[in-house]
Amino acid sequence: MPDVFAGRFELLDPIGVGGAGTVWRAWDRRQERLCAAKVLRQRDAGALLRFVREQGRRLDHPNVLSPYGWAADDDMALLAMDLVGGGSVDNLVADFGPLPPRLAAELLSQLLGALDKIHTAGVLHRDVKPANLLLETTGTERPMLRLSDFGIAIAMGEPRLTVHGTVVGTPGYLAPEVLAGAAPSPRQDLYAAGVTAWQLLTGAEPPERGSLPTRPSDATDPIWDVVTDLTRADPAARPESAAEALAALAPSLAEPLVVPAHTPDGEVIEVFDHLPEQAPERRKGGRRTAVVVAAAVMVAVVGGGSAAVLAVFDPLGESPLPPGTSASPLGTGVSETATPASSATRSADPQIRAGQPCGWQVAGSVEKAADGTQVECRQQGSSYLWVKTN
């Protein structure tokens, strides 16, 4: 019998884990459908405020994936989202390398459509990148992109939940003016969209600092003109809006999209299912839905009074659970109580294991892992992991 959260969400099986909580495949009793349910510990007011903000980012657009519901139960909170089955654009590039210009233009057009929607609604995403662009499982047919992860999104003009001098976003996709301390603006999302398109066309990771490499000499497709304009260092030289950039992309889109698309060496490009099979005994009513979690990264206030510039870089996001591991079920009467990171006497947390990602928002936190060892969230290269301290 699945555990039930807040009397509504049946937690069927854990399918991802991150620093802010565990993601479950769940059955929404009220809407009678499968969903992705992210359960997080209510550690501090900053995380909760971001949580409440994110659950309110409901934007109706075919290329936008936003939370559709949330619930709270004891010291836990849950965020419910649709399920998307084809992995991310990051996975697509990793699997197939550089994409044909027409296919890249198709994905960029959908991203710009999503940005036009959220910017018109007064929302800035602030973390546009391939890992946050999820794909429906369309096989070799026309791809369907969904802009996800509104964890650090902000409404234009609303208070910012970061310490002065803090930079929010992912290195490589940050517009130059962000690093210089400029206020958030739509043109910063457009810059990140341009970097994303450059990555689609080249198959390469963008440099974490500095400008993108120059346009290849043999790049003649008009999409490159759009990429060049989107990634200009001067924000005033970029398109004024996503709608303007989308209009500039029209020459590339004028050519019919041929599917299936192929890589330069002739391999068929396919958006396939990325989620492991659900155990038969955990399936809800025999229903089968191949999905990949569209889970938002919860972010917290950067603690302390440090004025140092911090680049938020969490490329792992929600990582699949390693083989042989599982997350602790969370029932209606959750009794696990989150304790401050400074507490010297805490019980083992069954959701924490050495070597797992922990997220920048809990960097420096000391916890007791599932096996009883003491671990600390430390930066390891470009990621943050739970590392044994004893």
Side-chain angles (χ1 to χ4, degrees), residues 326-384:
S326 62
S328 172
L330 301 170
T332 302
V334 177
S335 60
E336 179 189 16
T337 303
T339 55
S342 59
S343 174
T345 57
R346 60 173 59 82
S347 59
D349 189 330
Q351 298 186 45
I352 294 178
R353 291 174 174 79
Q356 286 187 340
C358 53
W360 70 272
Q361 68 273 22
V362 291
S365 297
V366 177
E367 299 285 352
K368 185 178 289 186
D371 61 1
T373 59
Q374 182 172 286
V375 292
E376 181 180 357
C377 182
R378 298 176 182 172
Q379 185 170 5
Q380 304 287 302
S382 60
S383 305
Y384 289 84

Side-chain angles (χ1 to χ4, degrees), residues 32-187:
E32 295 189 336
R33 62 161 171 158
L34 286 169
C35 69
K38 178 163 186 172
V39 180
L40 66 156
R41 298 177 292 278
Q42 299 182 13
R43 286 192 177 274
D44 58 39
L48 286 177
L49 182 51
R50 285 204 187 275
F51 174 83
V52 171
R53 279 185 176 179
E54 177 159 323
Q55 64 82 25
R57 307 291 188 210
R58 301 189 182 109
L59 298 165
D60 185 17
H61 188 276
N63 298 119
V64 176
L65 182 66
S66 58
Y68 74 81
W70 70 287
D73 199 341
D74 289 347
D75 66 339
M76 299 288 188
L78 179 150
L79 191 67
M81 297 180 136
D82 293 338
L83 296 169
V84 182
S88 69
V89 167
D90 200 37
N91 299 139
L92 188 68
V93 174
D95 288 338
F96 299 103
L99 302 181
R102 180 60 183 84
L103 182 60
E106 181 66 29
L107 293 170
L108 178 58
S109 71
Q110 294 182 26
L111 171 56
L112 291 172
L115 290 176
D116 181 50
K117 174 66 178 183
I118 70 170
H119 291 168
T120 300
V123 175
L124 303 175
H125 189 278
R126 301 202 296 171
D127 200 18
V128 175
K129 59 184 178 182
N132 288 338
L133 307 178
L134 302 184
L135 296 167
E136 300 284 356
T137 308
T138 54
T140 59
E141 299 301 313
R142 177 179 179 271
M144 181 67 176
L145 174 152
R146 307 287 298 277
L147 174 62
S148 70
D149 195 344
F150 286 75
I152 57 175
I154 188 171
M156 299 179 198
E158 79 177 352
R160 297 162 64 181
L161 297 179
T162 50
V163 174
H164 179 69
T166 297
V167 176
V168 177
T170 300
Y173 303 90
L174 294 170
E177 68 270 19
V178 176
L179 296 174
S185 79
R187 282 187 165 116

Side-chain angles (χ1 to χ4, degrees), residues 146-307:
R146 307 287 298 277
L147 174 62
S148 70
D149 195 344
F150 286 75
I152 57 175
I154 188 171
M156 299 179 198
E158 79 177 352
R160 297 162 64 181
L161 297 179
T162 50
V163 174
H164 179 69
T166 297
V167 176
V168 177
T170 300
Y173 303 90
L174 294 170
E177 68 270 19
V178 176
L179 296 174
S185 79
R187 282 187 165 116
Q188 293 162 14
D189 280 350
L190 295 181
Y191 178 90
V195 176
T196 296
W198 176 88
Q199 190 168 348
L200 296 179
L201 292 165
T202 65
E205 292 286 334
E208 291 191 8
R209 287 186 177 273
S211 59
L212 291 174
T214 57
R215 171 176 174 169
S217 58
D218 59 347
T220 59
D221 192 279
I223 186 177
W224 279 101
D225 296 331
V226 179
V227 171
T228 298
D229 288 341
L230 287 172
T231 56
R232 294 192 184 280
D234 180 4
R238 295 175 209 146
E240 185 176 359
S241 66
E244 181 180 319
L246 189 56
L249 193 60
S252 288
L253 299 175
E255 179 185 346
L257 176 65
V258 177
V259 291
H262 295 78
T263 64
D265 60 2
E267 182 180 3
V268 173
I269 297 174
E270 178 183 3
V271 181
F272 51 86
D273 173 20
H274 279 64
L275 191 71
E277 287 283 342
Q278 181 184 0
E281 65 274 13
R282 303 292 279 179
R283 292 173 186 157
K284 175 64 185 179
R287 297 171 185 256
R288 295 291 307 284
T289 305
V291 294
V292 160
V293 178
V297 176
M298 299 295 108
V299 289
V301 172
V302 178
S306 173

